[in-house]
Amino acid sequence: MFTGISHHSVYVLDQDQALDFYCGKLGFAVSADVDLGFMRWLTVALPAQPDRQIMLEVPGAPFVDEETAAQLRDLLTKGALGAAAILTTDDCRGTYEDLRAKGVEFTEEPTERPYGIDCALRDPFGNHVRITQPTEGPVTAKDFEEQGEYARDLT
């Protein structure tokens, strides 16, 4: 049946500003930047995973009408569209420090979690991005119960 996921979409309000953030600060590379006339097809990927692309999409035609696009832009700026991506790293604290030095603003500092060390930021448009240094081995519900307060924060 399926063999993988090649693309997923992240809404942005300005594709050039998105390129500056995702490529200039987070280290993605442009995979495609094509003017189709009716839209700009813009995708980026991590150099270590070029076959997994993020489409940086401005809400609008041809996918949605203008009324829906306005609603999506409003939800986006409120941070109400959920996680845009969860990025993995071998060194969450080091990545956090490198990105802070580049001017990236974080909403959560690196914190020990049952699944590893992670932190969070929002892109310039309101999308949530998490950076995780995964722990080895399986994570169970018991791991979250032992952390107590974090598990209560999730409910």
Side-chain angles (χ1 to χ4, degrees):
M1 199 149 174
F2 301 110
T3 60
I5 297 172
S6 65
H7 293 74
H8 75 273
S9 179
V10 172
Y11 283 126
V12 299
L13 300 179
D14 179 293
Q15 289 175 310
D16 290 323
Q17 188 179 5
L19 278 177
D20 180 55
F21 182 77
Y22 283 91
C23 295
K25 295 192 178 190
L26 298 187
F28 284 75
V30 174
S31 300
D33 189 351
V34 181
D35 182 353
L36 299 175
F38 59 90
M39 70 171 283
R40 180 180 178 189
W41 180 267
L42 178 61
T43 62
V44 297
L46 291 170
Q49 197 176 20
D51 59 335
R52 180 75 187 262
Q53 298 177 42
I54 296 175
M55 185 170 96
L56 301 172
E57 179 184 357
V58 176
F63 300 111
V64 297
D65 60 42
E66 184 50 41
E67 181 181 347
T68 304
Q71 293 169 343
L72 287 168
R73 288 190 296 270
D74 185 47
L75 290 170
L76 173 62
T77 58
K78 290 178 180 177
L81 294 181
I86 299 174
L87 307 174
T88 57
T89 181
D90 293 330
D91 180 7
C92 186
R93 288 183 177 90
T95 300
Y96 170 84
E97 292 300 333
D98 290 346
L99 293 176
R100 277 183 37 116
K102 292 180 180 179
V104 174
E105 295 181 27
F106 283 81
T107 57
E108 291 180 36
E109 295 181 359
T111 304
E112 297 277 342
R113 307 284 189 203
Y115 51 83
I117 303 168
D118 92 345
C119 58
L121 59 99
R122 286 178 70 181
D123 74 8
F125 316 102
N127 290 303
H128 297 276
V129 176
R130 296 200 76 84
I131 299 169
T132 302
Q133 178 184 332
T135 189
E136 291 186 28
V139 178
T140 66
K142 184 178 180 185
D143 297 319
F144 283 90
E145 290 170 9
E146 291 172 358
Q147 191 138 359
E149 186 175 318
Y150 177 70
R152 283 190 300 277
D153 290 345
L154 292 175
T155 58

